Amino acid sequence: MSGSSASVSVSSGDESLDEQECPVTEEWLTAVLASHLDTQVQVDRFTVRPGCDQGESVLSDILAVNVDYTDTVASHSLSLIVKLLPQDPFSRYFVTEAQFDLREIKFYTKVAPDLLRIQKDLLADGCEEIELPIPKCLHARYNADNDSVAQSVLVLENLKVQGYSSCEFSQGLTLQQAQSALEAIARLHALSLVLKVKQKLALDEKYPFLFQTARASDSYQQLVERGLPQLAHFLQRRPGLESVLQCLSALTPNTKDIIAALLAPEEPLCLITHTDFWCNNLLFREDGQCAVLDWQMVTYSRPTNDVALLLVSSLSTELRRTHTETLLDAYWAALNSYSSRLQLNITAELGYDRQNLSKDFRRSLLLALLLCIGSVDVALGDPLTEQRLLDVLHDLHTDGILSTDVLDQ
């Protein structure tokens, strides 16, 4: 292999990044690719640019890297996403203290391989493997030493060059996109449920890095405490919402306990959940495929927590009001289909049916609303998302969701 240096372009819009501070180097890329491909490689050229708009990601600094390289056979091109700890000191402390970076790295390096492995034992001969709707992981590194220069690094394939694209939050998901998203998460839910049942595992013990209820409740409570005053100020300027405000005020002293109760695992249908499942963490392809990103909050809880958050946060009012039951049916069908392929009959073996799903979904709606309140600034300032928020509050209030009574239903 030639020892000549690769050419590099490092840019950020109209401004150049300091190449001395950029962690992506020829030597580093060569090592990552050689390890992933298990062969010698030579990096010929690579470019580095920001992987998201400024302020779009608070839990990671994201770089998009395009690399041309030569292996022992031919020349190739590859597009990567590199996720690093935030450089901002406050954000960096927030991420490392709550172990968001560790959690995502462990999801890709521990959970995902186990979900693929379980299929080899259970899929019938000739049955097609259930593909994980996530980016492939090429490299991951975590160092618990807080003084380390590069404490955590995650390298994933860049799905956007494969025809995937994000959706516009203000517009919300289309019905087809919502169906695709629920089908994708049903795959992951089914695989983790089968892993738990067939191998008789306590997943929260097998994966101690999952977002534990106590720590998650503290984190979400802090967000809700920050978001509630903003929401109250917003609602006070809207006539006819006095009863909604009263209900929210009544919930405020108990939000931590409510969040803890709703996040706590409740058998028999507890499994690995994304727990931040909304449209900004999804990519879609024109053929209907959906990919699920950003697994920093992965936990062990009821699957309806993911379903409810998607429907509350990411659907237009019309779609949510008209198609909620249809989407629940579609999710339930997908969950059962994938579980059956892996020799698990949910209703027969676990005693859990569609009616149980509806009851859990109703409880999860309250958790979804509280999580949306914790990020209410995302919705405020845009007339479309503000109206969507008002409609959600109105509907949940009308349905009796804005009360601790829902925990006992």
Side-chain angles (χ1 to χ4, degrees), residues 67-125:
V67 55
D68 298 326
Y69 68 93
T70 303
D71 60 17
T72 55
V73 177
S75 296
H76 310 271
S77 295
L78 194 59
S79 293
L80 308 172
I81 290 294
V82 180
K83 303 187 73 171
L84 306 163
L85 283 173
Q87 292 303 302
D88 171 68
F90 177 81
S91 297
R92 189 183 185 94
Y93 175 79
F94 174 73
V95 168
T96 55
E97 180 68 15
Q99 297 187 321
F100 289 119
D101 56 331
L102 171 65
R103 200 169 294 114
E104 184 168 38
I105 285 174
K106 292 291 188 179
F107 170 77
Y108 280 102
T109 59
K110 299 295 184 181
V111 178
D114 285 347
L115 298 185
L116 291 172
R117 198 174 296 118
I118 189 68
Q119 301 185 57
K120 296 180 179 179
D121 300 328
L122 297 174
L123 281 176
D125 290 341

Side-chain angles (χ1 to χ4, degrees), residues 161-181:
V161 302
Q162 300 178 27
Y164 284 88
S165 60
S166 56
C167 65
E168 181 60 44
F169 172 60
S170 63
Q171 300 296 324
L173 300 177
T174 65
L175 179 59
Q176 181 184 10
Q177 287 173 331
Q179 291 169 333
S180 298

Side-chain angles (χ1 to χ4, degrees), residues 39-313:
T39 188
Q40 286 186 312
V41 301
Q42 174 183 303
V43 172
D44 303 314
R45 174 179 170 78
F46 66 96
T47 62
V48 184
R49 69 181 193 283
C52 63
D53 295 334
Q54 187 172 5
E56 185 178 339
S57 174
V58 297
L59 299 182
S60 305
D61 279 357
I62 301 177
L63 301 175
V65 179
N66 293 326
V67 55
D68 298 326
Y69 68 93
T70 303
D71 60 17
T72 55
V73 177
S75 296
H76 310 271
S77 295
L78 194 59
S79 293
L80 308 172
I81 290 294
V82 180
K83 303 187 73 171
L84 306 163
L85 283 173
Q87 292 303 302
D88 171 68
F90 177 81
S91 297
R92 189 183 185 94
Y93 175 79
F94 174 73
V95 168
T96 55
E97 180 68 15
Q99 297 187 321
F100 289 119
D101 56 331
L102 171 65
R103 200 169 294 114
E104 184 168 38
I105 285 174
K106 292 291 188 179
F107 170 77
Y108 280 102
T109 59
K110 299 295 184 181
V111 178
D114 285 347
L115 298 185
L116 291 172
R117 198 174 296 118
I118 189 68
Q119 301 185 57
K120 296 180 179 179
D121 300 328
L122 297 174
L123 281 176
D125 290 341
C127 190
E128 186 177 349
E129 183 180 272
I130 300 171
E131 184 178 355
L132 300 186
I134 59 175
K136 289 184 175 62
C137 177
L138 281 74
H139 171 76
R141 178 177 180 269
Y142 180 83
N143 189 331
D145 180 5
N146 289 331
D147 295 328
S148 174
V149 175
Q151 186 179 1
S152 61
V153 180
L154 182 63
V155 182
L156 306 171
E157 62 177 338
N158 188 346
L159 293 179
K160 290 189 175 181
V161 302
Q162 300 178 27
Y164 284 88
S165 60
S166 56
C167 65
E168 181 60 44
F169 172 60
S170 63
Q171 300 296 324
L173 300 177
T174 65
L175 179 59
Q176 181 184 10
Q177 287 173 331
Q179 291 169 333
S180 298
L182 291 175
E183 186 275 336
I185 201 66
R187 283 187 244 168
L188 293 154
H189 286 171
L191 284 165
S192 64
L193 180 64
V194 168
L195 177 67
K196 178 187 78 170
V197 174
K198 295 300 183 180
Q199 295 192 354
K200 296 180 173 59
L201 295 173
L203 295 185
D204 51 346
E205 295 178 6
K206 179 177 176 61
Y207 305 120
F209 50 83
L210 295 176
F211 213 1
Q212 300 297 321
T213 299
R215 172 171 279 184
S217 300
D218 285 337
S219 296
Y220 291 136
Q221 168 68 6
Q222 293 173 23
L223 293 174
V224 172
E225 287 181 348
R226 185 195 68 179
L228 271 173
Q230 297 179 63
L231 178 60
H233 179 69
F234 170 71
L235 294 179
Q236 286 165 0
R237 295 179 282 130
R238 302 297 193 278
L241 295 172
E242 293 79 8
S243 58
V244 172
L245 264 173
Q246 289 175 359
C247 287
L248 291 175
S249 298
L251 289 174
T252 301
N254 304 306
T255 51
K256 182 177 179 180
D257 292 337
I258 294 170
I259 293 170
L262 294 170
L263 280 174
E266 185 174 310
E267 300 298 347
L269 208 70
C270 269
L271 40 79
I272 290 175
T273 58
H274 185 279
T275 326
D276 195 22
F277 192 61
W278 68 302
C279 62
N280 277 25
N281 289 333
L282 304 172
L283 294 176
F284 297 93
R285 209 165 57 187
E286 286 189 0
D287 63 1
Q289 293 297 308
C290 172
V292 187
L293 313 176
D294 295 342
W295 289 84
Q296 295 99 331
M297 298 181 186
V298 61
T299 189
Y300 179 64
S301 67
R302 69 191 80 197
T304 49
N305 288 343
D306 281 342
V307 179
L309 183 57
L310 183 77
L311 271 57
V312 165
S313 68

